[in-house]
Amino acid sequence: MQRVLVIGLDPVRIPGWDPAPVVAAIARGQARFAEHGLEADLCLVAPDDAPEAAIVEALTAAEYDCVVVGGGIRKHEPLLELFETVVNLVHRHAPGAEIAFNSTPDDTADAALRRLR
């Protein structure tokens, strides 16, 4: 069974908005991995909470075939430095893993499948 790590923003830890729709979308997205016979782990971080350590811990906890970097990290311009850090951490700590990028939490499995097939 192929294994995927999803790195994204933790919607519950971002102040000023209702996280419920994103939490529900993440759950739907995670359920789709099982439908495709993939095992998926989540690493959800808050940008203001030194996320590097949590990301390294997740990357080294298992051997991953693919790492998906979420759109919340990738698309939000103020998080460009975090995005660069995530990509370099994946390169350093999971050099054999494919790297994929989702558009929404719902299409995370599709992003991984593009790289795994």
Side-chain angles (χ1 to χ4, degrees), residues 9-59:
L9 295 180
D10 185 344
V12 175
R13 295 172 57 199
I14 298 173
W17 66 297
D18 178 13
V22 178
V23 169
I26 290 171
R28 287 190 306 271
Q30 287 298 105
R32 294 204 53 237
F33 281 104
E35 294 170 12
H36 292 284
L38 299 171
E39 188 173 340
D41 298 324
L42 277 175
C43 176
L44 299 178
V45 299
D48 296 334
D49 195 23
E52 293 85 356
I55 293 167
V56 169
E57 182 178 341
L59 287 167

Side-chain angles (χ1 to χ4, degrees), residues 43-100:
C43 176
L44 299 178
V45 299
D48 296 334
D49 195 23
E52 293 85 356
I55 293 167
V56 169
E57 182 178 341
L59 287 167
T60 58
E63 185 145 337
Y64 291 102
D65 299 293
C66 183
V67 177
V68 179
V69 181
I73 291 174
R74 192 180 78 261
K75 293 179 178 181
H76 189 56
E77 189 173 336
L79 297 181
L80 177 60
E81 187 175 338
L82 175 59
F83 174 56
E84 291 174 339
T85 297
V86 170
V87 170
N88 282 293
L89 289 172
V90 172
H91 177 69
R92 188 173 307 124
H93 296 284
E98 294 287 325
I99 300 173

